[in-house]
Amino acid sequence: MTSALENYINRFDQTINLILDESHERVFSSSQGVEQVVLGLYIVRGDNVAVIGEIDEETDSALDLGNIRAEPLNSVAH
């Protein structure tokens, strides 16, 4: 499975620690549609942040998540 965390940034500080509101995780599967798991309020330490981006809400709301499939990500080799 592959997943992505989506939310609204409520607060942040100079070290990119984040307080995220209305958080949910989209879990992608190769055999069924996207599952959305509600997480609510989330606090993330800045050193765990890899990417922050903006989502076009109009485009996002037009997606049919029930028909989206994704292959699992490969393991990371160090």
Side-chain angles (χ1 to χ4, degrees), residues 33-51:
V34 177
E35 175 189 2
Q36 292 203 82
V37 179
V38 177
L39 302 172
L41 187 68
Y42 227 65
I43 299 172
V44 181
R45 288 181 47 111
D47 55 354
N48 292 316
V49 176
V51 176

Side-chain angles (χ1 to χ4, degrees), residues 43-70:
I43 299 172
V44 181
R45 288 181 47 111
D47 55 354
N48 292 316
V49 176
V51 176
I52 296 176
E54 186 175 1
I55 295 175
D56 182 333
E57 291 186 29
E58 185 177 323
T59 302
D60 187 60
S61 64
L63 293 174
D64 181 8
L65 297 176
N67 288 322
I68 295 176
R69 308 285 189 270

Side-chain angles (χ1 to χ4, degrees), residues 5-23 39-46 49 52:
L5 188 65
E6 298 183 10
N7 45 58
Y8 296 99
I9 296 177
N10 189 317
R11 301 263 194 279
F12 64 94
D13 63 15
Q14 69 275 13
T15 58
I16 313 175
N17 293 318
L18 304 172
I19 298 177
L20 308 173
D21 200 11
E22 299 181 35
S23 300
L39 302 172
L41 187 68
Y42 227 65
I43 299 172
V44 181
R45 288 181 47 111
V49 176
I52 296 176

